Structure formats: structure tokens, C-alpha cells
Amino acid sequence: MKPNYRRCISCRKVGLKQEFWRIVRVFPSGQVQLDEGMGRSAYLCPQADCLQIARKKDRIGRSLRTPVPEAIYQTLSERLTNTASSTSI
């Protein structure tokens, strides 16, 4: 089976689908959520630099063609701190 490659919307790095966070604009409601759902998707590296650039330049919103709620960015920031704290243990 062929591997699924995706590209980070921030740094443009190509990698396997499992290496990225998935942000989805669900069809037909237009609601933005993380990881699950069918609809338009954007992929982001789980790194602070990529999240910061994506937030500053509204890369997620432009990619999904919809405004992104602040709660999505907060959740991604929390995931980033959780992964950083779990790797330092």
C-alpha cells in the first residue's frame, strides 16, 4: 500500500500523514475541528515555529477558506506543551 504524504502549510515540509496535525473544515456545516471529519483539510507540523507562523499569517484560515476560531489555536498550543513536557520526562 502506498504511503500517504502531506505537506505542512507553514514550513512546506513533506512527510507521512501521521507526522502532522490535521485541521478540518467539516462539510457541510463549515465548522473547524481537529483530527476528525470529512471535508477540506490542512496539515501542520507539531512544532512551535510552524504553529506561530500559521497563526501570524493566517495560513490555516486561508487554506481552509474560512475563519479559524481562537479555540483551535489554543488547543494546538496545549498539545504542543503537552508533547514537550512528555518528552522531557
Side-chain angles (χ1 to χ4, degrees):
M1 190 170 184
K2 283 175 70 174
N4 288 321
Y5 291 104
R6 299 294 186 262
R7 184 181 303 269
C8 175
I9 60 172
S10 190
C11 70
R12 310 296 292 164
K13 174 188 147 197
V14 175
L16 293 174
K17 187 177 178 180
Q18 297 82 12
E19 297 174 10
F20 299 107
W21 287 329
R22 181 174 181 237
I23 303 102
V24 186
R25 183 190 73 200
V26 180
F27 179 81
S29 69
Q31 178 184 1
V32 178
Q33 63 187 35
L34 298 174
D35 302 323
E36 297 178 358
M38 290 179 52
R40 188 167 189 85
S41 300
Y43 292 85
L44 189 66
C45 291
Q47 299 176 6
D49 294 339
C50 288
L51 180 58
Q52 188 177 27
I53 291 169
R55 188 176 197 171
K56 182 179 178 184
K57 295 185 177 184
D58 191 34
R59 296 241 169 114
I60 298 172
R62 288 188 302 168
S63 179
L64 297 178
R65 300 178 186 155
T66 190
V68 179
E70 188 64 29
I72 297 292
Y73 290 114
Q74 290 173 353
T75 304
L76 290 174
S77 295
E78 289 171 10
R79 282 187 185 182
L80 194 61
T81 55
N82 289 342
T83 57
S85 63
S86 66
T87 57
S88 64
I89 295 176

